[in-house]
Amino acid sequence: MLLRRERAMTAVAIMLDVAFHAGRTEAVSAADIAERLGQARRGIEPVLQALSRAGLLDSIRGPKGGYRLGRPPRDLRLAEIVATALDEEAGAETPAGRLQAAVVQPLWAELEGLCRDHLSRLTIADLIKRAAAAGVKRPTVEPLNFVI
């Protein structure tokens, strides 16, 4: 888990972005998510698909389609998000050798367990609270005004 953090961080960032900008009622497009994350849409599509297949995101088709949360933010644990993102990368190669098998791999397993425990205590709702504490405000949509 720790070695393959890029995909896990992308998954958490996507979930937070959707929660922050759309929640469970509105939909946010993959293009908008990619733009805010500073990544290519093509690069985040596999992660979006994995999150949708797991039921963490709802995928909505059509002209006003996009993604919204599959469950309330308080029910979305970071451990589940990370596990979903990394599930498709399972079976990655690990260094071989007696020393690695006896020391490094057990150490890594212990560190991953500690990381998983910490992530299991955090939810997307907690991250939204952290954003508010950091002064990040949700965007407000102003109604169009066609007064001449």
Side-chain angles (χ1 to χ4, degrees):
M1 178 189 312
L2 298 173
L3 289 176
R4 301 176 304 268
R5 69 176 203 185
E6 188 172 304
R7 186 172 165 107
M9 287 176 61
T10 298
V12 171
I14 287 170
M15 294 297 293
L16 180 59
D17 185 89
V18 172
F20 199 75
H21 293 95
R24 294 197 67 206
T25 57
E26 302 290 321
V28 62
S29 74
D32 289 344
I33 296 168
E35 183 180 328
R36 286 189 291 266
L37 296 182
Q39 296 188 16
R41 179 180 172 174
R42 183 177 66 203
I44 67 166
E45 283 292 344
V47 181
L48 287 166
Q49 291 169 3
L51 294 169
S52 291
R53 279 192 302 274
L56 301 173
L57 287 178
D58 287 336
S59 175
I60 300 151
R61 295 180 174 257
K64 295 210 180 220
Y67 295 90
R68 67 180 177 209
L69 296 180
R71 299 194 304 253
R74 70 181 176 278
D75 295 338
L76 294 166
R77 300 231 167 257
L78 299 189
E80 184 179 7
I81 296 165
V82 169
T84 298
L86 298 181
D87 191 38
E88 295 178 4
E89 290 186 347
E93 290 186 30
T94 57
R98 285 186 352 186
L99 192 57
Q100 286 79 9
V103 178
V104 176
Q105 289 175 353
L107 170 65
W108 222 246
E110 179 183 338
L111 291 173
E112 286 184 345
L114 292 170
C115 188
R116 254 190 314 275
D117 289 345
H118 186 66
L119 291 174
S120 69
R121 290 189 295 272
L122 293 172
T123 66
I124 291 296
D126 295 327
L127 296 187
I128 291 172
K129 288 176 189 172
R130 288 182 182 200
V136 180
K137 296 189 186 319
R138 290 180 188 229
T140 57
V141 179
E142 295 183 21
L144 295 176
N145 188 354
F146 293 105
V147 176
I148 297 178

